[in-house]
Amino acid sequence: MNDNLYGEGMTPPYIKINGMKKFVLFIAALVAAFEMTAQWHPGAEIDINNVRTTLYGTGTFFRMRGGENSEQGYYVPSNDIKSTIYQNTLWIGGLDADDNLHLAAVRFNQVGEDFWSGPLRVTNASTDIFTVMDYHHVWKVSRADIEALIANPNGDIAEDILTWPAHGNVDDGFAEFLAPFVDVDSDGIYNPRNGDYPDILGDMALYCIYNDNYDYNQNGVVEHNETGGEPLGIEIHCMLYGFNAPDDEILNNTLFMRQWIYNRSAIDYHDVYVGYWTDYDIGYARDDYNGCNVKNGYYYGYNGSPIDGNGQPEAYGPNPPSQIIMILGGPTMNADGIDNPKYDSDGNQIVDESINGLGFGDGIIDNERLGMTTFVYHSNNSAIYGDPSEAIDYYNFMQAKWRNGTPIQYGGNGVEGLPGVVGPACKFMFPYDSDPYNWGTGGVIPNGGYNQNGFYWSEETGDNGQPNTPGDRRGLASSGPFTFGSGTVQVIDRAYITCWLSVPFNTDEMDIWATYIKDYFLNNLNNK
């Protein structure tokens, strides 16, 4: 490939260097790799609308791992220091043919790493230190940058457009096509000097590539030190994007994320779950609640009182916002040769994944995508309902089970035997009135009068009608189970919606914001 198309002094990410220079760089790379494990990951900031936040290149969203800016988060409004999310990450786990668990996830990287920068070889799902370092970057591209390129391909071109990771090094076993691009001259080669440009969504997008199968100790063993899980051999492409929409309050307070998850391994995984984990901090971190909406497929954090905090700089004070994380489209369901319906012959909602999934009853066979199939809250402690520490803990949470493998029970704090817990086993914690079909309890009306006479399960009715004590909340929505075949890809779409309501827990108003964004996605973004 012609290096000059990337600009003077610039090379594409995968250029190979031979001889003594390669040996010298290898030694330098080894030193840098050890230093890298003690540093936060380089990222890029998106600031196209009323949200300002940072994407990092190894599976960490919105928060730096360390350094002087380690408290950076999800700032809304964009010109303030108040944040609604402390950390957001993706978890994924599944079983191989012998039912061995393979899992990759991170929370705060306090123990180690499960993800590293860059793609994996399609030949054996491996990578190397040069690839990891070459892709230790987040590309930032705006619609304005693209329009400038289209207008004048021979003029100044933004660096992240010039170095856009469109192609992998095929000679070294990587996929030919990586980051999406518009091939203006239809020659199959990304060349911005010929008018080609990144195929982004929104008015500004951040893009990175990372994997779960790098042997960073150079000892022949891939270690997931954060979870202890066996690697899957997956490569994840991530695009965080937003719109400049000052006249649209809802869209202007929303960011979207699309992730492409490639199974580069030779293993077909079954009973796979993808989890979307969030540590909310609605301004001041110690006075929050959380919950979920089953019908529309989202979970949310909100303040436990009308006034956030006690005057702290990060506190919102009166009228704090609520933060929605919405699963717009999850993994594709296992093929069954039919267009799975949403309603029965009498027009009644079928009580299954069609409640909040995508593609049901649209006349297309086997395009159905899972939505939110479980939601759990866990505490910041070491109890069975506390923070996960081993791979099986993460996998259990994604299946709506506690760390010891027992199912979550309806009511209270979901732990059988504790006050307010009435049962039966359930898939969604704190659904309030959003599960009228009782999908979360297998179609069974919960015990103890819940969902009857307006008595719904939320943090405000957690213990026999008495509210829980607000605090630091961590929530996990998941999609599964599904089969993830070798060489296949799963696409995940979600939205982050920050909404201001008349009171913190106004589920009707919240759902108006969520429904608006879901409709916007379906009408404008779903098939792009």
Side-chain angles (χ1 to χ4, degrees), residues 114-126:
D114 275 20
F115 294 112
W116 297 269
S117 301
L120 296 175
R121 294 180 177 88
V122 297
T123 51
N124 59 8
S126 69

Side-chain angles (χ1 to χ4, degrees), residues 295 328 342 352-360 369-372 518:
K295 288 187 298 183
L328 297 164
K342 189 176 182 69
D352 63 7
E353 291 81 4
S354 65
I355 285 177
N356 60 36
L358 188 63
F360 290 81
R369 296 171 67 182
L370 296 169
M372 181 179 71
K518 176 170 278 191

Side-chain angles (χ1 to χ4, degrees), residues 187-402:
D187 65 353
I189 300 173
Y190 179 68
N191 188 340
R193 292 299 180 190
N194 287 348
D196 299 341
Y197 55 89
D199 189 8
I200 68 168
L201 298 167
D203 294 324
M204 179 181 288
L206 308 181
Y207 192 89
C208 67
I209 300 173
Y210 61 101
N211 71 84
D212 85 320
N213 203 40
Y214 171 53
D215 175 16
Y216 77 96
N217 283 324
Q218 305 294 307
N219 62 1
V221 179
V222 176
E223 298 179 71
H224 284 186
N225 289 336
E226 178 82 342
T227 65
E230 291 292 321
L232 295 103
I234 56 172
E235 172 184 315
I236 302 176
H237 299 201
C238 181
M239 183 179 291
L240 178 69
Y241 63 98
F243 295 86
N244 180 19
D247 297 326
D248 187 327
E249 181 185 17
I250 300 178
L251 190 60
N252 210 46
N253 284 284
T254 298
L255 293 181
F256 298 85
M257 183 177 289
R258 176 167 293 178
Q259 290 177 289
W260 298 260
I261 308 175
Y262 294 86
N263 181 0
R264 300 296 195 198
S265 78
I267 300 173
D268 296 326
Y269 296 105
H270 65 92
D271 290 295
V272 181
Y273 290 82
V274 174
Y276 323 96
W277 181 83
T278 301
D279 182 351
Y280 317 96
D281 283 354
I282 310 297
Y284 177 65
R286 303 294 178 180
D287 60 358
D288 298 336
Y289 282 149
N290 69 168
C292 76
N293 186 294
V294 177
K295 288 187 298 183
N296 245 344
Y298 63 86
Y299 64 113
Y300 52 86
Y302 64 103
N303 216 64
S305 64
I307 298 176
D308 174 44
N310 298 292
Q312 296 87 351
E314 75 275 15
Y316 280 97
N319 190 32
S322 298
Q323 181 63 53
I324 295 170
I325 298 94
M326 190 173 204
I327 294 84
L328 297 164
T332 302
M333 291 178 58
N334 295 342
D336 57 9
I338 65 172
D339 172 29
N340 289 275
K342 189 176 182 69
Y343 305 101
D344 64 21
S345 59
D346 295 324
N348 298 314
Q349 170 70 58
I350 297 174
V351 184
D352 63 7
E353 291 81 4
S354 65
I355 285 177
N356 60 36
L358 188 63
F360 290 81
D362 62 357
I364 302 175
I365 294 173
D366 289 336
N367 72 327
E368 294 85 9
R369 296 171 67 182
L370 296 169
M372 181 179 71
T373 58
T374 66
F375 171 74
V376 302
Y377 147 75
H378 71 87
S379 299
N380 183 7
N381 58 38
S382 59
I384 65 167
Y385 51 85
D387 289 330
S389 62
E390 300 177 352
I392 190 61
D393 298 342
Y394 290 82
Y395 191 60
N396 280 336
F397 277 140
M398 288 190 285
Q399 299 175 82
K401 298 177 182 178
W402 295 121

Side-chain angles (χ1 to χ4, degrees), residues 54-212:
T54 304
L55 176 69
Y56 299 95
T58 52
T60 301
F61 315 134
F62 316 146
R63 172 186 173 269
M64 283 186 175
R65 177 179 164 183
E68 62 182 11
N69 295 319
S70 62
E71 301 310 308
Q72 186 163 352
Y74 192 88
Y75 296 121
V76 191
S78 60
N79 60 356
D80 209 332
I81 63 169
K82 299 173 178 61
S83 175
T84 58
I85 299 174
Y86 184 64
Q87 179 73 298
N88 175 250
T89 63
L90 180 122
W91 300 0
I92 179 170
L95 307 178
D96 62 23
D98 295 321
D99 289 337
N100 298 309
L101 175 62
H102 297 249
L103 184 135
V106 292
R107 292 183 298 119
F108 305 112
N109 298 104
Q110 292 170 320
V111 183
E113 306 283 349
D114 275 20
F115 294 112
W116 297 269
S117 301
L120 296 175
R121 294 180 177 88
V122 297
T123 51
N124 59 8
S126 69
T127 187
D128 54 70
I129 193 168
F130 297 103
T131 302
V132 170
M133 295 191 69
D134 282 344
Y135 287 85
H136 204 54
H137 182 74
V138 175
W139 284 262
K140 178 177 180 177
V141 176
S142 70
R143 187 66 57 186
D145 292 336
I146 292 174
E147 291 173 353
L149 166 64
I150 294 172
N152 184 14
N154 295 317
D156 293 335
I157 299 177
E159 179 178 344
D160 280 353
I161 290 182
L162 285 170
T163 63
W164 185 250
H167 300 292
N169 186 355
V170 178
D171 291 339
D172 199 17
F174 294 93
E176 179 180 5
F177 296 101
L178 296 176
F181 66 96
V182 176
D183 189 7
V184 173
D185 56 3
S186 301
D187 65 353
I189 300 173
Y190 179 68
N191 188 340
R193 292 299 180 190
N194 287 348
D196 299 341
Y197 55 89
D199 189 8
I200 68 168
L201 298 167
D203 294 324
M204 179 181 288
L206 308 181
Y207 192 89
C208 67
I209 300 173
Y210 61 101
N211 71 84
D212 85 320

